[in-house]
Amino acid sequence: MGGETYTQKKPRSEYPLRAPKPVGQLISGIYRDRISQFYSRGQWEHNNLLAMMNEGVASGEPHVQLSVWDAPGQSRPSFDDAVSHEFKKTSVGSWFGPSWSTHWFKAVLKVPEDLRDKRLLELHWDGNNEGMVWSEDGKPLQGLTGGGERVEWVLPESFRDGKEHTIYVEMACNGMFGNAPGGDSIQPPDPNKYFQLSRAEIVAVNPDARQLYIDIWIIGDAAREFPSDSWEQHKALTTCNGVIEAFELGNKESLKTCRKIAEEYLGSNVNSAKVYDSGKEPVVFGIGHCHIDSCWLWPFAETKRKAARSWSNQCNLMDQYPELNFACSQAQQYKWLKELYPYVFERVKKKVVEGRFHPIGGSWVEHDTNLPSGESLVRQFLYGQRFYESNFGARCQTFWLPDTFGYSSQLPQLCRLSGMNRFLTQKLSWNNINKFPHTTFNWVSLDGSQVICHMPPAETYTAEAHFGDVKRSMSQHKSLDQDNTSLLVFGKGDGGGGPTWQHIEKLRRCRGISDTVGLLPRVHMGNSVDDFFDKLEIKADSLVTWYGELYFELHRGTYTTQANNKLNNRRAEVTLRDLELLATVASVKNKSYKYPKKEFDDMWESVLLCQFHDCLPGSSIEMCYDDSDAIYAEVFQTGSKILKEIIKSLGVSEVKSTTVAEGVAINTLPWHRKALIDISENEAAVVCGEGSLLKLRRFKTSEEEPGARLQKLSDGAFLLENSGLKVKVEAGCITSLYDKAADREIIPKGQKANQYVIFDDKPLYWQAWDVEVYHLDTRKGLSCGETKVHEEKNHRVSVVTETKISDKSSIETVISLSASVAGQQSYVEVSSKVTWHETMRFLKVEFPVDVRSSEASYETQFGVVKRPTHYNTSWDMAKFEVCCHRFADLSENGYGVSILNDCKYGFATQGSTMRLSLLRSPKAPDAHADMGEHHIRWAILPHQGYLGATTVRKAFEFNNPLRLAAPIAGSSVAQVVASEPPVRLTSDSSTSLVLDTVKRGEDDEDVSRGELPTKKGRSVVLRIYDSLGGRARGTVATTWDVTKVSKTNLLEDELEEVVIEDGKFAIDLGPFEVATFKLQLA
Ligand SMILES: [Zn+2]
């Protein structure tokens, strides 16, 4: 080394001796505020950059000739139907409506001579609502959203020939967010909105002006948002002022000069995707996305069009911008596209093959995860992944739920069993009590399974790709100790749309800034979500962990709102479970019976659709519930038809009444049943046994089994008693519940159970969604009217009480106690008929119990989740209203009380008071939510010991009642009742194992829909889980001729072979494990 010479730069010699003029420091506030004046509307727009955006505009005839056909009512006709009608002349300035109507425009375009050679020609169409451009021959080309959201359609080159060219525009009279009446978008829609066609013109855009607009926008943001103690902020400020000073109105060349100055800050590559080729390490990964709520402030029918509009746009943008990668979820929306817009579906498919359009999520819709049953979650993945696999050749690796209202604790396990080990959401950033502490972490299920979870730190799934979004991707990143990368999910959404060209241009400049001046986290485009997670997966071991549910500290009202929809969901889940089990048994037993797979698939797809995260939670407009009511009605209609056929093939038919000798009970639960069943108006029988069809035997009272008794006491109270329980009902409430075997009073002295309470229910904003913590302070007990005898039979006694809520609302409550059945835990059953016409009030029923524990247990999918009964910390307090499925339980060592329900999901346990949430009455976005009559059932089940199988099984039995049937002509009870059930699960140790699902294999050649290759022979799939959280061993015994048993995942891929001997194989599950077995039949 050596020999280098150092040349000192000499100061210039001409540095003047005397200061020629005063030079001041920029007064930064003023110079900063000046920037937006350069490109904003208002008083400057004719003298700033906006005045140079276009090089020419042609509107009106002969360049743009418009005619229209108004589709009748709220119909949404197809292209062929629409264009077959006569169109009448119309013009810009005309109004169209009302809300939800459709108008088809024929636009004949002729580019004027002086615009033909311009660089960029676009049609600018603004109907202030949504629209779709169609080609003359019926191809959907591009979606439009009015109000300036997305109003440009680039004219094809062929339109520059000076001739007339026809296109059609399908106008939908709703905005991106439906038809809210004013500025408050969640108010019920205005049925009478009209929309003005404010623009329909051919525009020659000045590309330099357009590019400069984005330049100054982003550098202006740097001047506004970078810290003032950074040189990068000062540099941005001087660059912007340099641009503004170089601008000369009317001088196109000055635009080029301005852009040259902007280059000093942005670098020279921002005009193309080349900007991403600098080779420098990026940390923020931009992914285009378009959140389309399958229904919300608009009905399902509009969503079908939203998908076509939004995704056509993305295909167009991909042609223009090679760096755009786009991820989109919800198999259901792809299916709609395939059926209704095959042209767009083919375009999407091509982009999928190119690796730029990424089907993501693996589920049927972006569903709620609090309320659906375990099996429903399984089917979301099964139907979703099968759709993706059969249409795009691959399954998804990432579960994608950016907008759902909380995430239940078994999701990681179910994701892993569905081929996904990644999960994306961001909704927890909406928590209004505690800040969720991680951005990237391992999320761990009840059974210990984990997925890598990422919550984009920009805290949105509809980012506008602002400078600030990129900046926040680092500044709000909470997992920087482990990893500094993040996803930026950008594109217009909720009502569809996706990225716009502005978003992509802005991100190019953000990248330019990072590589030129620095400070801004370096954004990259062109990767997929899977690429992003691939890198995280390498360092997964070092990521922090979060065990259990991702409880959402907001939207707690969604466990209760739209009660009828939730009842339908529960009923549909029960119906499908029962039917699949019975149809499996029937199809194996009787070869002439065909397992109705297609019907089941249709039913499931309907139920899964209604589990969408604004439908089942109750946060949609009234129209959506009219739709879901109709969807469920069809599900139940198909279901009852199928049930008839199944049981006919088993040799029976349903009856209303029969005799002990001639009747049977249809059972769908997988354990030894022993229960009462009504066989006529005044007579009950005992059902005892295992299998689908069970014999009846006579119910008779005896000295030891005195049946149920009712007694009116001298103080006017009633005593309901059987051999297990003594229930005192006083003024409609239960003032004593005595467990004879345990010698224990359950209701604390002086307190009342089954007490109705009502709360003021005015949340901070989101009415249908939220119940706020302060509602608890407004509790008022309802007093009851007179209690009367309702039923006094040997096998059941009951009393009925009227409770007035207000002048308009009341409750009729029947409290019943049945005769106890030996070996079975008795419970108090309550059924209520509520007439409900309230405003912003919340009805609950409460049960103070003499049990003390700092934790209560709630049934969740395939398990139990524990939550605090106290408010020690803000995290405990945040769970003041939680989700449960069929039961909630408060147990101390040795004893506990469970509250069962048949259609409810909201619950709270405050100290020793258990409270089941019944009905809410929000007025937005559905002004009539929950008004009318409701039938709700619940039960109080005291039990000895801690929460155990008694509660799990009684909760099943409460939801899956026995049905009465009789053999059809020509067969006898003895012939139809099998001596042993075809498949039987016995537990070796505890009774926590549940055989939840019995169904036929998806791809069995005799049942398959054919979307994936069929498999030879017949198979039966069993899903078994541990319901209580411990090691659970047992045995499955089957009478079927089984040749092979495999343990599979939820997608029914065979993972390992299980040894079967003499028709028996062993089950050995870990705590809360969900296991699936496939039995191949001979
Ligand atoms: Zn959503």
Side-chain angles (χ1 to χ4, degrees):
M1 297 288 282
E4 298 95 341
T5 52
Y6 176 69
T7 332
Q8 193 181 6
K9 273 200 182 133
K10 288 201 179 111
R12 60 195 181 119
S13 54
E14 66 276 24
Y15 175 62
L17 173 67
R18 292 190 174 81
K21 56 173 183 182
V23 176
Q25 195 177 26
L26 291 190
I27 297 167
S28 56
I30 293 174
Y31 281 83
R32 201 174 55 222
D33 291 351
R34 174 198 192 190
I35 302 168
S36 61
Q37 187 212 78
F38 180 61
Y39 62 98
S40 56
R41 296 206 175 277
Q43 57 177 322
W44 317 111
E45 68 184 60
H46 299 297
N47 293 284
N48 65 12
L49 178 60
L50 296 184
M52 293 189 68
M53 297 304 279
N54 303 329
E55 296 179 325
V57 175
S59 57
E61 298 193 356
H63 308 298
V64 181
Q65 301 169 48
L66 295 177
S67 52
V68 67
W69 171 69
D70 305 316
Q74 294 186 1
S75 63
R76 293 173 173 86
S78 67
F79 175 87
D80 289 338
D81 180 4
V83 302
S84 72
H85 291 87
E86 200 173 314
F87 283 61
K88 62 175 195 297
K89 218 168 152 48
T90 189
S91 62
V92 168
S94 303
W95 291 79
F96 300 90
S99 310
W100 314 115
S101 62
T102 294
H103 307 268
W104 280 83
F105 293 83
K106 183 175 182 179
V108 181
L109 307 178
K110 188 177 172 193
V111 178
E113 178 84 54
D114 59 331
L115 297 188
R116 267 171 231 163
D117 298 328
K118 298 294 184 192
R119 288 171 287 178
L120 176 57
L121 291 184
E122 293 176 344
L123 172 72
H124 287 191
W125 178 283
D126 194 344
N128 291 293
N129 49 21
E130 295 195 294
M132 169 77 102
V133 178
W134 293 75
S135 68
E136 190 174 13
D137 61 350
K139 295 190 179 95
L141 300 176
Q142 154 126 344
L144 300 168
T145 307
E149 294 274 6
R150 188 191 313 262
V151 297
E152 310 92 356
W153 176 59
V154 179
L155 289 192
E157 281 300 306
S158 59
F159 281 33
R160 291 173 183 262
D161 61 3
K163 295 187 181 135
E164 289 187 342
H165 294 269
T166 300
I167 58 161
Y168 290 90
V169 178
E170 176 192 16
M171 173 192 273
C173 283
N174 54 263
M176 205 156 67
F177 290 89
N179 276 310
D184 184 353
S185 67
I186 65 160
Q187 286 308 306
D190 175 355
N192 228 358
K193 257 191 152 172
Y194 281 76
F195 298 86
Q196 187 176 35
L197 176 61
S198 56
R199 244 186 323 158
E201 56 202 22
I202 298 167
V203 177
V205 175
N206 182 333
D208 294 327
R210 186 175 267 186
Q211 294 295 334
L212 179 61
Y213 181 93
I214 309 284
D215 291 348
I216 189 95
W217 183 356
I218 291 296
I219 307 171
D221 281 349
R224 285 179 286 260
E225 294 187 39
F226 270 155
S228 59
D229 61 0
S230 65
W231 78 266
E232 292 87 349
Q233 187 267 339
H234 291 272
K235 173 77 178 160
L237 192 60
T238 53
T239 306
C240 286
N241 279 285
V243 167
I244 295 168
E245 278 147 27
F247 175 76
E248 286 175 43
L249 187 66
N251 179 353
K252 287 184 192 167
E253 281 310 301
S254 81
L255 297 174
K256 294 195 193 314
T257 313
C258 291
R259 292 215 68 207
K260 209 71 203 158
I261 295 168
E263 242 183 63
E264 291 169 22
Y265 204 80
L266 302 173
S268 55
N269 286 326
V270 298
N271 293 328
S272 74
K274 254 202 277 173
V275 71
Y276 295 110
D277 294 342
S278 69
K280 293 180 182 167
E281 191 70 20
V283 287
V284 181
F285 295 86
I287 184 80
H289 177 57
C290 156
H291 187 71
I292 311 181
D293 287 320
S294 287
C295 71
W296 181 31
L297 302 175
W298 53 87
F300 293 116
E302 196 53 44
T303 306
K304 297 171 184 175
R305 301 203 290 197
K306 280 175 180 285
R309 291 194 284 257
S310 305
W311 299 357
S312 313
N313 295 348
Q314 296 317 310
C315 293
N316 294 344
L317 271 183
M318 282 177 200
D319 292 341
Q320 258 175 289
Y321 291 95
E323 71 267 42
L324 176 60
N325 267 30
F326 177 79
C328 213
S329 60
Q330 313 205 61
Q332 169 72 84
Q333 294 184 8
Y334 287 90
K335 187 175 178 186
W336 282 334
L337 196 75
K338 186 178 179 183
E339 288 170 356
L340 302 168
Y341 298 89
Y343 174 76
V344 184
F345 187 73
E346 285 310 311
R347 282 189 81 190
V348 165
K349 242 178 126 166
K350 221 171 129 232
K351 302 291 184 201
V352 172
V353 173
E354 287 167 17
R356 300 185 57 199
F357 198 116
H358 308 287
I360 200 165
S363 57
W364 188 248
V365 292
E366 281 189 21
H367 51 90
D368 181 76
T369 81
N370 289 315
L371 314 168
S373 68
E375 191 59 27
S376 283
L377 295 184
V378 169
R379 302 304 171 102
Q380 287 285 355
F381 294 137
L382 180 76
Y383 283 88
Q385 291 285 44
R386 287 176 66 84
F387 183 91
Y388 291 125
E389 187 177 2
S390 59
N391 284 277
F392 304 118
R395 296 169 178 170
C396 304
Q397 296 182 61
T398 303
F399 183 33
W400 181 272
L401 281 189
D403 190 31
T404 293
F405 313 150
Y407 306 93
S408 69
S409 48
Q410 285 283 44
L411 282 172
Q413 179 180 192
L414 301 180
C415 283
R416 293 305 294 261
L417 289 170
S418 306
M420 293 183 284
N421 58 4
R422 294 99 189 255
F423 175 53
L424 180 133
T425 182
Q426 67 78 48
K427 200 68 186 178
L428 263 51
S429 69
W430 285 40
N431 278 4
N432 72 352
I433 299 183
N434 299 288
K435 214 164 175 51
F436 191 78
H438 312 303
T439 292
T440 305
F441 57 100
N442 290 309
W443 178 27
V444 185
S445 231
L446 286 180
D447 80 315
S449 301
Q450 61 177 354
V451 292
I452 303 172
C453 179
H454 179 67
M455 303 194 188
E459 300 190 344
T460 173
Y461 52 86
T462 56
E464 287 281 343
H466 288 315
F467 175 92
D469 292 319
V470 177
K471 188 167 159 260
R472 283 188 291 276
S473 295
M474 186 62 82
S475 65
Q476 296 185 156
H477 200 302
K478 302 192 209 86
S479 301
L480 293 174
D481 290 338
Q482 291 81 37
D483 182 78
N484 64 355
T485 63
S486 63
L487 279 176
L488 173 61
V489 182
F490 69 95
K492 294 193 183 288
D494 283 346
T500 62
W501 60 264
Q502 290 95 329
H503 296 157
I504 305 169
E505 293 284 355
K506 282 195 278 179
L507 289 177
R508 284 181 175 177
R509 281 147 183 87
C510 287
R511 174 59 181 256
I513 290 177
S514 305
D515 285 352
T516 310
V517 298
L519 198 58
L520 188 65
R522 185 171 290 110
V523 66
H524 191 70
M525 286 278 285
N527 286 30
S528 67
V529 172
D530 289 330
D531 295 335
F532 171 78
F533 275 107
D534 283 347
K535 289 201 190 113
L536 286 181
E537 198 175 313
I538 294 166
K539 51 168 82 169
D541 289 351
S542 66
L543 299 178
V544 300
T545 47
W546 183 271
Y547 282 71
E549 68 180 326
L550 293 172
Y551 177 85
F552 184 35
E553 297 181 355
L554 205 70
H555 294 4
R556 302 167 184 88
T558 61
Y559 314 142
T560 305
T561 311
Q562 298 287 2
N564 189 46
N565 210 50
K566 290 174 165 70
L567 166 75
N568 281 338
N569 178 67
R570 180 79 63 85
R571 271 183 61 206
E573 288 173 341
V574 167
T575 300
L576 275 159
R577 180 192 178 283
D578 290 355
L579 291 179
E580 285 184 337
L581 168 105
L582 294 171
T584 301
V585 172
S587 75
V588 175
K589 186 179 171 198
N590 181 350
K591 281 204 171 147
S592 69
Y593 175 76
K594 184 163 165 38
Y595 186 81
K597 177 74 164 50
K598 191 194 166 300
E599 286 85 348
F600 286 157
D601 288 338
D602 291 345
M603 288 167 79
W604 268 117
E605 288 181 6
S606 295
V607 172
L608 300 178
L609 171 61
C610 292
Q611 290 171 348
F612 175 72
H613 68 255
D614 282 306
C615 189
L616 184 55
S619 46
S620 284
I621 58 171
E622 192 172 6
M623 286 174 115
C624 303
Y625 296 105
D626 294 342
D627 288 347
S628 67
D629 284 352
I631 292 171
Y632 282 122
E634 199 183 322
V635 166
F636 296 130
Q637 205 184 0
T638 311
S640 63
K641 194 182 111 239
I642 292 175
L643 180 68
K644 271 202 190 84
E645 287 159 6
I646 297 172
I647 62 174
K648 192 174 150 202
S649 90
L650 296 174
V652 299
S653 67
E654 265 195 286
V655 291
K656 288 243 159 22
S657 68
T658 181
T659 62
V660 167
E662 286 166 0
V664 293
I666 303 172
N667 168 48
T668 56
L669 295 180
W671 44 75
H672 186 93
R673 282 303 284 275
K674 197 170 177 198
L676 294 177
I677 185 168
D678 284 5
I679 55 169
S680 66
E681 179 65 28
N682 282 310
E683 207 185 344
V686 181
V687 174
C688 185
E690 268 183 275
S692 307
L693 296 176
L694 304 177
K695 276 186 204 161
L696 309 181
R697 71 171 157 77
R698 216 158 76 79
F699 165 76
K700 59 174 192 294
T701 56
S702 64
E703 196 69 12
E704 308 83 60
E705 287 283 340
R709 279 165 299 157
L710 179 66
Q711 205 186 330
K712 187 162 184 176
L713 304 175
S714 56
D715 57 0
F718 288 93
L719 196 66
L720 289 70
E721 189 174 357
N722 66 15
S723 57
L725 299 175
K726 212 152 67 171
V727 188
K728 188 174 177 187
V729 179
E730 223 170 332
C733 292
I734 298 172
T735 52
S736 168
L737 173 52
Y738 177 72
D739 180 339
K740 294 180 185 175
D743 182 21
R744 185 162 173 151
E745 172 59 50
I746 288 141
I747 313 300
K749 206 173 169 49
Q751 301 206 34
K752 295 187 262 183
N754 210 59
Q755 163 78 54
Y756 292 107
V757 285
I758 198 149
F759 301 82
D760 276 348
D761 190 11
K762 298 188 191 77
L764 295 171
Y765 176 65
W766 301 93
Q767 281 193 47
W769 292 257
D770 290 346
V771 55
E772 244 342 313
V773 61
Y774 48 75
H775 86 288
L776 293 169
D777 305 334
T778 66
R779 176 191 173 282
K780 281 195 193 80
L782 295 176
S783 45
C784 301
E786 198 193 339
T787 301
K788 294 176 191 156
V789 177
H790 180 66
E791 247 180 334
E792 199 170 355
K793 296 171 183 164
N794 262 344
H795 70 282
R796 187 172 56 240
V797 293
S798 52
V799 292
V800 61
T801 310
E802 272 287 319
T803 305
K804 198 170 162 187
I805 301 171
S806 70
D807 292 347
K808 296 165 285 187
S809 308
S810 59
I811 314 169
E812 184 189 287
T813 310
V814 175
I815 299 176
S816 312
L817 188 68
S818 294
S820 43
V821 179
Q824 299 291 309
Q825 176 65 49
S826 279
Y827 54 79
V828 182
E829 185 176 343
V830 184
S831 66
S832 69
K833 182 173 93 184
V834 189
T835 307
W836 183 242
H837 294 282
E838 296 303 295
T839 295
M840 299 178 203
R841 298 176 94 193
F842 197 157
L843 178 69
K844 306 188 184 187
V845 58
E846 69 183 25
F847 313 90
V849 293
D850 196 4
V851 174
R852 187 167 304 167
S853 172
S854 59
E855 279 180 331
S857 304
Y858 302 88
E859 191 191 26
T860 187
Q861 296 94 354
F862 301 123
V864 172
V865 58
K866 291 194 162 88
R867 301 183 183 105
T869 57
H870 55 76
Y871 298 154
N872 280 3
T873 68
S874 60
W875 290 86
D876 299 326
M877 183 137 189
K879 294 178 180 169
F880 61 84
E881 176 86 12
V882 298
C883 185
C884 73
H885 283 202
R886 289 165 289 206
F887 66 81
D889 181 84
L890 187 65
S891 287
E892 59 188 32
N893 182 34
Y895 202 83
V897 177
S898 302
I899 305 297
L900 318 180
N901 75 79
D902 76 335
C903 60
K904 292 292 152 195
Y905 297 90
F907 209 93
T909 309
Q910 198 178 1
S912 290
T913 299
M914 306 174 79
R915 216 177 264 145
L916 177 67
S917 299
L918 299 180
L919 290 167
R920 298 186 68 224
S921 43
K923 300 300 168 195
D926 174 0
H928 308 111
D930 286 323
M931 298 299 96
E933 198 172 290
H934 300 268
H935 295 264
I936 312 164
R937 289 167 59 236
W938 57 87
I940 310 165
L941 173 79
H943 56 82
Q944 296 200 37
Y946 200 73
L947 167 65
T950 300
T951 297
V952 173
R953 292 186 173 189
K954 289 293 164 207
F956 260 100
E957 292 172 12
F958 196 69
N959 280 273
N960 298 57
L962 294 162
R963 292 159 186 273
L964 194 62
I968 48 180
S971 48
S972 67
V973 170
Q975 280 170 319
V976 298
V977 172
S979 54
E980 78 186 285
V983 58
R984 211 171 146 220
L985 170 65
T986 49
S987 294
D988 294 354
S989 46
S990 87
T991 43
S992 68
L993 285 174
V994 175
L995 171 55
D996 192 36
T997 297
V998 178
K999 67 187 277 290
R1000 291 289 307 275
E1002 285 294 312
D1003 296 311
D1004 283 3
E1005 57 189 350
D1006 63 326
V1007 305
S1008 161
R1009 272 202 290 200
E1011 69 269 40
L1012 287 168
T1014 57
K1015 293 181 177 144
K1016 283 234 162 304
R1018 299 183 301 163
S1019 67
V1020 173
V1021 170
L1022 310 180
R1023 194 142 20 249
I1024 297 170
Y1025 70 97
D1026 164 59
S1027 59
L1028 290 165
R1031 173 57 70 96
R1033 294 199 182 97
T1035 307
V1036 170
T1038 176
T1039 58
W1040 289 323
D1041 191 359
V1042 175
T1043 56
K1044 182 184 161 195
V1045 178
S1046 313
K1047 195 168 184 182
T1048 75
N1049 58 14
L1050 302 179
L1051 309 179
E1052 301 177 15
D1053 299 328
E1054 293 168 26
L1055 304 178
E1056 56 183 277
E1057 198 168 332
V1058 176
V1059 180
I1060 178 163
E1061 258 174 14
D1062 302 331
K1064 288 187 182 147
F1065 62 95
I1067 305 291
D1068 184 354
L1069 303 188
F1072 295 123
E1073 185 182 343
V1074 180
T1076 307
F1077 299 90
K1078 188 168 167 182
L1079 282 56
Q1080 196 63 44
L1081 306 184

